[in-house]
Amino acid sequence: MMLEQELLQAIKERRSIRRFQDKAIEPEKLEQLFEAVRWAPSWGNSQCWEVVVIEAQADKEGLVELLSPKNPATRAMTQAPVVLGICGRKHKAGYYNGERQTRFEDWLMFDLGLATQNICLTAHILGLGAVIVGSFDHDRVAKLLEIPDTYDIVSLIPLGYPAHAPSPPPRRPAAEFVHYRRF
């Protein structure tokens, strides 16, 4: 019972962190984040994810230039000691024998969402903060990070030790979105 309570507490306490301390992330903590990705569920165990680790300040500044205007994560991108580029192999998740199995073009967004949640929850448990950034010029970021055409860059995740503790955002009560038997 204790583990379930700890997990739910981590889910409730995790926040989007956009300001970071000037402190490096220990390599063993990064390895734990990668292990969390490794064990994320995926369509048919396709494990379509790839993670690009961006640590060079020049690269992070290059990413800032490719964010959407007034992106609230702009400062986080250069302030975080590490930014993860979350990529997925196209036409792998949601496909069997090269044929699409769902109504959706690709299932990689779902699988990368699961891997990203694992990253964010593990980061929180390790005392790190993260923010998921999705509003940027995907084609130009792919070029900057030299991502092959057979992959899509889906998100960027600045990571580091939080320099602030945001309050929880309001949440809808479950009774507003849970439907039994029919919508």
Side-chain angles (χ1 to χ4, degrees):
M1 187 60 144
M2 189 56 151
L3 183 58
E4 292 90 353
Q5 291 173 345
E6 290 173 14
L7 176 59
L8 190 55
Q9 181 178 346
I11 290 168
K12 289 179 178 182
E13 290 178 352
R14 188 220 57 86
R15 299 283 175 274
S16 294
I17 302 298
R18 294 180 179 87
R19 293 195 310 266
F20 300 97
Q21 298 174 34
D22 185 15
K23 181 179 176 183
I25 299 173
E26 298 86 346
E28 27 322 325
K29 288 191 177 183
L30 285 176
E31 290 302 319
Q32 287 179 282
L33 294 173
F34 305 147
E35 192 68 7
V37 171
R38 183 172 172 246
W39 287 99
S42 63
W43 175 286
N45 197 33
S46 61
Q47 303 175 51
C48 69
W49 47 72
E50 301 288 334
V51 179
V52 180
V53 181
I54 303 123
E55 297 175 296
Q57 195 64 26
D59 290 337
K60 293 185 284 181
E61 289 170 8
L63 291 173
V64 164
E65 298 300 316
L66 304 177
L67 296 177
S68 61
K70 299 181 182 179
N71 190 314
T74 298
R75 178 171 41 172
M77 198 65 64
T78 56
Q79 198 180 52
V82 173
V83 175
L84 301 180
I86 308 300
C87 307
R89 181 166 184 113
K90 299 175 189 176
H91 309 301
K92 186 172 183 182
Y95 286 76
Y96 284 122
N97 298 322
E99 293 200 23
R100 188 171 78 188
Q101 300 296 308
T102 76
R103 70 178 285 192
F104 302 103
E105 178 62 28
D106 211 321
W107 199 257
L108 71 86
M109 295 293 286
F110 190 85
D111 286 358
L112 294 182
L114 293 166
T116 296
Q117 178 77 332
N118 280 13
I119 289 170
C120 292
L121 287 173
T122 302
H124 174 72
I125 290 166
L126 295 173
L128 300 171
V131 62
I132 304 162
V133 181
S135 184
F136 55 87
D137 185 325
H138 289 73
D139 292 335
R140 291 176 61 200
V141 168
K143 185 174 180 177
L144 175 72
L145 300 179
E146 299 178 9
I147 297 168
D149 290 341
T150 52
Y151 290 84
D152 273 328
I153 175 80
V154 172
S155 62
L156 299 167
I157 305 175
L159 285 168
Y161 285 93
H164 69 120
S167 299
R171 292 300 206 205
R172 293 169 50 201
E176 284 187 16
F177 60 83
V178 175
H179 312 275
Y180 290 93
R181 192 151 183 252
R182 303 276 193 279
F183 193 94

